[in-house]
Amino acid sequence: KFMIFTFIVLCISWFGLKYYFSNVNKIADKVRGDVLTQVQSHHSKLLAYNDIPEMYRNGIIATEDRNFFTNKGIDVRGTTRAVVVDVGSGKALQGGSTITQQLIHNTILSNTSKSLSWKLLESAYAIGLYDTMNKQETFAYYTNVIYFGHGANGLYQAAETYFGKSPSQLSAGELTMLAGLPNAPSVYDPYKNMTLALKRQHIVVQNMVDNEMISETQANQIISEPIVLK
């Protein structure tokens, strides 16, 4: 009986959130507006999902959120771990964020201090976004606001900043290097430490192999490509 009761409560809560974020607090509209404002303020160009090269998409998904297309906006294990650590330390030390959660973090919660309540709110908003925005749009907006270092916000600016090209002109090697930067732009900055940047790129490429997005042969071809910065 307890299991049935719990299931019913969870179902009511889930559909309640969906109704709330679809009709009361229209989370998708807020995220769209925030992304457009950021792109305009950075004098950049908004990329649609189909404008984002597949090699980059695969690199990001394999490295940042391999279950992106199947999860419901949150990583339950990662978020639970983050909350436990937060409660124990008093600080938000753990990430555990999906691409959807990172989009929330970089838009409507960007000016909110990290805390336990912040993490829980991020998770609730991510579920709401999952219910009201499709995965392709979510990925595209995420790609347009993440920070790549050197003042580059979003993939379009990153491609210009590091390689002097548009994203569609980048090679597989260049795309996989960029896919590794958002995790820690200052650490993997290729202008300051190309060795670390290449190590990070190799991790991205290997993740793609592990997720059967590319073959070992393709991986070797990618990491053998010369990287020439702007």
Side-chain angles (χ1 to χ4, degrees):
K1 291 182 178 180
F2 177 76
M3 293 288 290
I4 295 174
F5 175 76
T6 302
F7 176 75
I8 292 173
V9 170
L10 289 174
C11 287
I12 292 173
S13 299
W14 188 277
F15 286 106
L17 279 176
K18 183 172 184 177
Y19 177 83
Y20 174 72
F21 286 121
S22 298
N23 300 281
V24 181
N25 183 1
K26 297 184 178 180
I27 194 81
D29 289 346
K30 290 184 177 181
V31 169
R32 291 186 186 102
D34 200 314
V35 171
L36 291 174
T37 297
Q38 288 191 45
V39 170
Q40 291 171 357
S41 66
H42 295 137
H43 306 289
S44 188
K45 179 180 178 180
L46 183 71
L47 296 174
Y49 182 78
N50 290 331
D51 296 326
I52 302 169
E54 183 180 13
M55 185 64 66
Y56 173 84
R57 299 198 306 256
N58 287 341
I60 284 287
I61 290 171
T63 305
E64 295 291 328
D65 186 3
R66 64 181 58 188
N67 297 314
F68 172 67
F69 282 106
T70 56
N71 67 44
K72 299 186 183 302
I74 63 171
D75 172 3
V76 177
R77 287 186 179 180
T79 299
T80 301
R81 182 178 66 248
V83 170
V84 170
V85 171
D86 188 49
V87 170
S89 65
K91 297 180 181 179
L93 300 177
Q94 296 284 333
S97 294
T98 62
I99 284 173
T100 309
Q101 286 173 285
Q102 291 181 55
L103 174 57
I104 292 294
H105 167 63
N106 283 289
T107 53
I108 58 179
L109 290 183
S110 60
N111 295 318
T112 305
S113 299
K114 288 187 176 181
S115 64
L116 174 58
S117 59
W118 175 90
K119 191 67 182 178
L120 294 174
L121 191 60
E122 178 199 63
S123 298
Y125 281 170
I127 292 171
L129 198 62
Y130 161 79
D131 280 333
T132 56
M133 181 182 288
N134 67 48
K135 290 289 187 176
Q136 288 78 10
E137 191 175 13
T138 297
F139 186 90
Y141 283 141
Y142 159 84
T143 298
N144 280 284
V145 296
I146 50 176
Y147 186 62
F148 289 82
H150 286 282
N153 294 276
L155 179 61
Y156 186 83
Q157 281 194 338
E160 287 194 325
T161 297
Y162 289 102
F163 301 111
K165 306 174 186 177
S166 67
S168 62
Q169 297 173 315
L170 296 179
S171 67
E174 293 165 340
L175 289 166
T176 50
M177 174 166 283
L178 289 183
L181 297 186
N183 179 263
S186 61
V187 175
Y188 303 120
D189 182 348
Y191 281 118
K192 294 181 180 179
N193 195 326
M194 178 59 83
T195 299
L196 271 183
L198 287 171
K199 285 183 178 179
R200 177 65 178 170
Q201 179 212 20
H202 293 178
I203 290 173
V204 171
V205 172
Q206 186 57 51
N207 286 340
M208 293 169 69
V209 173
D210 294 342
N211 281 272
E212 300 181 346
M213 295 170 167
I214 59 174
S215 65
E216 287 283 0
T217 299
Q218 289 174 302
N220 291 331
Q221 292 174 341
I222 291 170
I223 62 177
S224 68
E225 293 179 6
I227 302 292
V228 181
L229 299 174
K230 179 179 175 182

